[in-house]
């Protein structure tokens, strides 16, 4: 990964979100794989922001961060809580996405392994469709997804 | 697929078993050249090898059991069987072989110290044995030792040895058989080493070749013998050939014992993902690992946990998805908490 070039780091809250990210990364073209890195799991949604602070976002202006969390059915409150703690000047390079409840509920609803769900999410990004992102457990991400499609998707696809 | 488990749980043994099966497919038929009496941990039960593979919608299964009766100096075949979609092509008990492919029924005897698979041949137009043997012979079983890889060769091959000490011959064989593979090799390596200019397999004698690698920046070039690359860089080279071989010879299977060895921590994830992705559209990539970054690049559905209570008991294998993991996987592995229970 050339840190001088646009690149994306994923901070998964837990193992289930890590597996979603793995599935997403597997769908990237082989020559784009190195523009994305999945970091070790944070260990809970409240730990992803401390994780963000270690990323030296100010030092690396081409770095984009995706926080992959569970909203535990508290979407608005949790999104606001996290966004309020992100330094305003980094707001356009940080994205917060996740299942409405948790990935396990998503897995049950879609009847697919986490990796396959992650791959389907990537395919939506590649094809500019909403087949998986439009699922009731994911559709609340619409605003963040739109920002992601403008800033991050062109880096990876 | 990822195989994890504590030291001594049997991960590497799987590659050793695959190698024995592969040697049969590559026409080694003397049992004594495949397995020695010292390889048996128990002599009261046969040593069984079984492999099942789906190739283009057809399921091939091969089973061989070897035994070491009292008074014998080498093992003999106790049982052997090859089936296609569940129907036997041939079955065997000791020396008696029963061939029962449609229209080709026959019974014959074979020395019980010889394996039948390399010997039995069917009509070329309908020979599932040939398809299976070609696939098994081509399987890549890798446990590279970079310090032993110097890049010299006197032949070409599509069959790297497990330590990949014949890398130069493999490189030459791959490019001879599939010249477009160089594009894949070059493209991957330039991502890993942006200053790479090219790789040449120069003639240094009548039959001998030696690999050299050229690096450049805007001002100058430097050419290094392959042997002078770092251990990690040699692993990038091996990975590039695996990716190219996977493209050229689908469906290929690659078993790589600890592919994270010799790599910088920031390279492990991308290295593993490149291999996983290459085999997504055909074939299978199987890795073993103790490295948390490598382990994290797999998921519950494609991770298998191996466990063995003692050296006197068989290995138990369970999909990770069937085990209860508390907290994150890496933490549970560090605590030693991932342990399948015998059924």
């Amino acid at each position: 990964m050339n840190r001088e070039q646009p690149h994306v780091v994923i901070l998964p809250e837990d193992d289930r979100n890590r597996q979603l990210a793995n599935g997403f990364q597997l769908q990237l073209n082989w020559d784009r794989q190195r523009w994305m890195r999945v970091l070790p799991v944070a260990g809970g949604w409240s730990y992803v922001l401390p994780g963000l602070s270690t990323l030296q976002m100010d030092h690396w202006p081409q770095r984009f961060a995706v926080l992959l969390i569970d909203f535990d059915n508290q979407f608005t409150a949790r999104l606001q809580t996290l966004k309020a703690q992100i330094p305003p000047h980094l707001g356009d390079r940080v994205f917060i996405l996740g299942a409405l409840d948790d990935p396990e509920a998503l897995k049950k609803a879609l009847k697919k392994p986490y990796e396959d769900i992650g791959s389907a999410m990537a395919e939506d990004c590649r094809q500019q469709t909403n087949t998986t992102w439009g699922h009731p457990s994911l559709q609340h991400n619409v605003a963040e997804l739109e920002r992601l499609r403008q800033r991050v998707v062109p880096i990876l696809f | 697929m990822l195989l994890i488990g504590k030291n001594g749980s049997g991960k590497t043994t799987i590659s050793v078993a695959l190698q024995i099966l592969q040697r049969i497919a590559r026409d080694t038929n003397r049992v004594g050249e495949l397995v020695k009496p010292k390889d048996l941990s128990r002599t009261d039960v046969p040593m069984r090898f079984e492999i099942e593979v789906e190739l283009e919608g057809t399921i091939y299964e091969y089973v061989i059991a070897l035994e070491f009766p009292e008074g014998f100096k080498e093992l003999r075949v106790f049982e052997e069987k090859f089936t296609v979609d569940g129907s036997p092509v041939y079955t065997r008990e000791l020396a008696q072989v029963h061939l029962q492919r449609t229209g080709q029924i026959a019974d014959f005897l074979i020395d019980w110290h010889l394996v039948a698979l390399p010997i039995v041949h069917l009509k070329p137009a309908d020979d599932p044995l040939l398809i299976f043997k070609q696939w098994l012979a081509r399987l890549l079983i890798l446990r590279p030792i970079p310090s032993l890889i110097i890049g010299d060769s006197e032949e070409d091959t599509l069959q790297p040895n497990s330590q990949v000490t014949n890398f130069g011959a493999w490189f030459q064989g791959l490019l001879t058989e599939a010249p477009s593979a160089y594009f894949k090799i070059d493209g991957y390596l330039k991502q890993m080493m942006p200053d790479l200019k090219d790789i040449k397999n120069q003639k240094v004698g009548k039959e001998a070749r030696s690999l050299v690698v050229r690096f450049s920046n805007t001002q100058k070039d430097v050419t290094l013998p392959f042997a002078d690359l770092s251990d990690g860089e040699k692993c990038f080279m091996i990975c590039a050939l695996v990716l190219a071989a996977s493209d050229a010879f689908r469906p290929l299977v690659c078993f790589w014992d600890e592919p994270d060895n010799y790599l910088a921590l920031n390279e492990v994830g991308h290295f593993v993902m490149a291999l996983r992705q290459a085999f997504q559209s055909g074939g299978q990539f199987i890795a073993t690992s103790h490295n948390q970054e490598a382990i994290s690049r797999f998921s519950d559905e494609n991770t298998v946990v191996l466990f063995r209570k003692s050296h006197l008991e068989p290995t138990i294998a369970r999909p990770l998805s069937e085990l209860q993991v508390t907290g994150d996987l890496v933490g549970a592995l560090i605590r030693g908490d991932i342990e399948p229970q015998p059924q």
Side-chain angles (χ1 to χ4, degrees), chain B residues 229-269:
Chain B
L229 296 179
S230 76
D231 286 354
E233 287 170 334
K234 288 178 184 173
C235 289
F236 296 159
M237 296 278 178
I238 296 167
C239 182
L241 262 62
V242 172
L243 300 180
S246 162
D247 255 9
F249 306 113
R250 288 205 171 106
L252 190 68
V253 170
C254 173
F255 185 109
W256 195 326
D257 200 5
E258 302 192 29
D260 43 77
N261 277 348
Y262 310 102
L263 299 180
L265 197 52
N266 69 312
E267 296 293 356
V268 172

Side-chain angles (χ1 to χ4, degrees), chain B residues 20 24 31 34-35 40 45-49 64-68 75-79 112 115:
Chain B
I20 290 170
I24 294 172
V31 174
L34 297 165
V35 180
L40 292 167
V45 289
M47 177 187 262
R48 293 182 70 84
F49 298 85
I64 184 166
L66 308 172
E67 65 174 1
F68 188 49
L75 286 87
R76 70 175 176 185
V77 177
F78 171 70
E79 183 189 350
W112 58 28
V115 180

Side-chain angles (χ1 to χ4, degrees), chain B residues 62-263:
Chain B
Y62 177 64
V63 176
I64 184 166
L66 308 172
E67 65 174 1
F68 188 49
E70 218 173 308
F72 274 52
K73 287 186 177 171
E74 65 177 310
L75 286 87
R76 70 175 176 185
V77 177
F78 171 70
E79 183 189 350
E80 194 176 350
K81 184 173 74 171
F82 180 71
T83 67
V84 176
D85 284 334
S87 303
V89 172
Y90 75 85
T91 57
R92 170 187 184 175
E93 285 179 28
L94 299 174
Q96 182 68 54
V97 180
H98 179 60
L99 186 67
Q100 53 195 95
R101 186 70 175 165
T102 314
Q104 300 179 62
I105 295 172
D107 288 292
F108 57 91
L109 294 170
I110 186 171
D111 182 340
W112 58 28
H113 292 301
L114 297 180
V115 180
L117 190 76
I119 297 167
V120 177
H121 292 276
L122 303 172
K123 291 175 187 167
D126 175 32
D127 194 353
L129 283 161
L130 191 63
I131 296 169
F132 174 75
K133 281 196 292 186
Q134 279 179 343
W135 168 81
L136 188 53
R138 207 165 256 179
L139 191 142
L140 302 174
I141 302 166
L142 308 176
R143 292 189 295 274
I145 302 181
S147 58
L148 300 180
I149 306 172
I150 55 173
D152 292 349
S153 59
E154 292 186 347
E155 55 184 5
D156 54 306
T157 183
L158 292 175
Q159 300 176 350
N161 59 41
S162 62
Q163 297 181 342
V164 204
T165 52
N166 59 347
F167 180 90
W170 185 25
F171 180 89
Q172 191 62 32
L174 191 54
L175 293 189
T176 303
E177 195 80 13
S180 63
Y182 189 81
F183 174 75
K184 185 84 178 183
I185 294 168
D186 186 63
Y188 173 74
L189 288 174
K190 280 183 173 157
Q191 286 209 330
M192 310 302 287
M193 300 181 283
D195 59 343
L196 175 75
K197 189 159 189 186
D198 55 31
I199 307 168
K200 287 183 178 158
N201 203 9
Q202 296 175 331
K203 271 204 158 190
V204 291
K206 194 177 173 190
E207 302 288 338
R209 290 179 178 273
S210 188
L211 280 167
V212 292
V213 185
R214 192 156 53 136
F215 297 94
S216 68
N217 61 19
T218 49
Q219 277 92 42
K220 56 184 178 182
D221 285 2
V222 61
T223 300
L224 297 178
F226 188 90
D228 288 358
L229 296 179
S230 76
D231 286 354
E233 287 170 334
K234 288 178 184 173
C235 289
F236 296 159
M237 296 278 178
I238 296 167
C239 182
L241 262 62
V242 172
L243 300 180
S246 162
D247 255 9
F249 306 113
R250 288 205 171 106
L252 190 68
V253 170
C254 173
F255 185 109
W256 195 326
D257 200 5
E258 302 192 29
D260 43 77
N261 277 348
Y262 310 102
L263 299 180

